[in-house]
Amino acid sequence: MDVLCHYASPLGGITLACDGAALTGLWFDGQKYFGAGIAGAFGEKTLPVHREAMRWLDVYFSGNKPDFTPALRMLGTPFRRAVWEILLSIPYGKTMSYGEIAAILSKRRGGAPVSARSVGGAVGHNPISLLIPCHRVIGADGSLTGYAGGIERKRQLLALEGIV
């Protein structure tokens, strides 16, 4: 059973989900794919893992780089989890393109081709926004493409990190 709690961010409400031990979801309220993966039954209360994630969000939204990461449980296909692991490696204040992620995956798979489009699908379905920084993924030409929380939020998040 997932347990939900809510956080008021400067960019709108955020819903956090956890399984009791690790964060399993973090979405801006109403964003595309909101709540994807939440188990059918859920409760609402604030658990220690929620408090740790909210502390991370407080640091992040104050304009600072958090120096810790709450426990995360990435629920998805092996391909999506591989993409999300790469997202976790994108440093605060930096970006990476979909094509660059595809090239990393291709190399890890012994040269098997990986399309930027398939990477985009995995990035778009990231269930733990912000902590798994899908907002740091950009188009090959540097454009701000796709973000389930909305392009304006993506722009604001990147500006918070000093990128745009």
Side-chain angles (χ1 to χ4, degrees):
M1 177 171 88
D2 286 311
V3 179
L4 306 181
C5 78
H6 302 280
Y7 177 87
S9 87
L11 301 181
I14 291 176
T15 297
L16 298 97
C18 82
D19 62 9
L23 200 65
T24 58
L26 187 155
W27 306 271
F28 282 103
D29 293 345
Q31 80 174 44
K32 191 173 184 181
Y33 311 119
F34 177 86
I38 292 178
F42 63 88
E44 292 202 25
K45 64 181 177 178
T46 304
L47 298 177
V49 69
H50 290 131
R51 282 191 281 285
E52 186 73 355
M54 288 189 272
R55 188 167 71 86
W56 188 98
L57 291 166
D58 287 343
V59 171
Y60 181 81
F61 283 117
S62 73
N64 296 297
K65 176 187 172 196
D67 62 356
F68 64 97
T69 303
L72 306 176
R73 186 167 334 281
M74 296 183 284
L75 304 172
T77 66
F79 178 80
R80 286 182 177 177
R81 288 193 316 268
V83 170
W84 301 336
E85 287 290 342
I86 293 170
L87 298 183
L88 285 168
S89 75
I90 304 172
Y92 179 96
K94 302 290 182 189
T95 59
M96 186 179 287
S97 73
Y98 297 95
E100 289 172 311
I101 295 169
I104 292 168
L105 282 174
S106 177
K107 185 175 180 181
R108 289 182 182 173
R109 294 174 164 211
V114 176
S115 75
R117 182 177 295 276
S118 63
V119 167
V123 170
H125 285 84
N126 168 23
I128 308 175
S129 294
L130 301 174
L131 282 114
I132 300 176
C134 51
H135 62 282
R136 295 183 189 143
V137 182
I138 60 172
D141 62 359
S143 60
L144 302 185
T145 61
Y147 182 62
I151 292 296
E152 186 51 38
R153 272 199 190 112
K154 181 173 188 163
R155 181 176 286 103
Q156 291 175 318
L157 294 168
L158 294 175
L160 181 70
E161 294 185 28
I163 297 171
V164 295

